Amino acid sequence: MTTADSHNGRRLTARGAKTRARIVAAAADLMYVKGVGTTTLDDVLAASGVSKSQLYHHFEGKDALVRAVVDHVGERVIERERRSLGHVSTIRGLRRWRDALVQNSALQHGAYGCALGSLATEVSDHDALARRALSQLFTAWQGLLAGVLRRMQDRGVLPPTVSTDQLATGLMAALQGGYLLAQTARDVTPMATSIDMALEHIENMSVG
């Protein structure tokens, strides 16, 4: 059995795909905790347990590995958000979504921030391909939020004149800003407050 390596066009065996996935997962964990800039390929080699020749068989260098990490983290985050938001159509459902994100961040006292946001901060100004991939991922995430708001609108909870896309942009900005404040404060309170204010704004627009 073979599978495609989307980055270099090679066909991978099941064993090769497993090795590549192990490299990417190890790099993603390291870059989330240490940051992209301070994570070296030697760090990834040590954490993944693969040889240097195996790493360079799959990735021509660190930039290619970072792009694979963006894809890996993005897939994980968007799948999580799809499960959380895919059927939400009430402000109560949005508050449950908020609670889950805040509680998860609280496990680390706000440290490390949003996995996608942290990557965007480090790579967007230096790698156009990674920046575009991250932009598409944030657009997909924001689209899931807009979908919730459209369902609320369809149910008559939000007035038809409201721009659900603009509300989703504001909610995403509150979320990402909250992640950053929690990261610097090592306290999730600012994150909870910023999302709560965005949700209160949406609730105040509700019909009736």
Side-chain angles (χ1 to χ4, degrees):
M1 179 180 176
T2 62
T3 186
D5 184 333
S6 61
H7 290 273
N8 57 29
R10 294 190 184 104
R11 302 295 296 182
L12 298 179
T13 64
R15 182 177 178 181
K18 187 175 180 179
T19 298
R20 185 183 187 279
R22 187 162 73 247
I23 294 168
V24 174
D29 289 343
L30 286 167
M31 290 176 185
Y32 180 54
V33 175
K34 295 183 60 175
V36 174
T38 55
T39 297
T40 67
L41 292 181
D42 285 340
D43 292 332
V44 176
L45 289 172
S48 63
V50 305
S51 68
K52 185 173 290 187
S53 63
Q54 285 177 307
L55 189 149
Y56 281 103
H57 175 75
H58 294 287
F59 303 101
E60 62 185 14
K62 186 175 177 180
D63 286 347
L65 179 55
V66 170
R67 291 166 196 157
V69 167
V70 168
D71 291 343
H72 171 76
V73 172
E75 181 179 353
R76 189 172 60 195
V77 170
I78 296 303
E79 179 56 30
R80 180 198 72 201
E81 293 302 288
R82 189 174 287 116
R83 290 195 304 268
S84 298
L85 296 168
H87 300 289
V88 173
S89 60
T90 63
I91 194 70
R92 181 178 294 177
L94 280 175
R95 292 196 184 282
R96 285 196 297 267
W97 164 79
R98 168 266 192 210
D99 290 346
L101 290 179
V102 171
Q103 288 167 9
N104 187 62
S105 185
L107 294 176
Q108 298 170 323
H109 305 288
Y112 313 124
C114 171
L116 277 185
S118 297
L119 284 170
T121 299
E122 289 207 62
V123 308
S124 291
D125 292 336
H126 310 291
D127 187 329
L129 290 176
R131 181 193 61 77
R132 285 196 290 271
L134 284 159
S135 178
Q136 291 169 359
L137 289 164
F138 277 114
T139 297
W141 193 348
Q142 189 170 308
L144 292 170
L145 290 170
V148 173
L149 298 168
R150 281 193 295 272
R151 287 190 290 275
M152 291 174 64
Q153 200 170 51
D154 291 343
R155 294 176 63 243
V157 177
L158 289 175
T161 54
V162 166
S163 170
T164 53
D165 288 336
Q166 288 183 359
L167 282 180
T169 298
L171 184 51
M172 176 60 76
L175 172 61
Q176 291 302 319
Y179 266 124
L180 181 60
L181 292 174
Q183 184 178 5
T184 55
R186 289 295 190 269
D187 180 1
V188 296
T189 302
M191 178 183 179
T193 300
S194 64
I195 303 173
D196 284 345
M197 290 187 70
L199 293 180
E200 285 169 11
H201 175 69
I202 293 169
E203 190 169 24
N204 288 339
M205 300 180 76
S206 299
V207 176

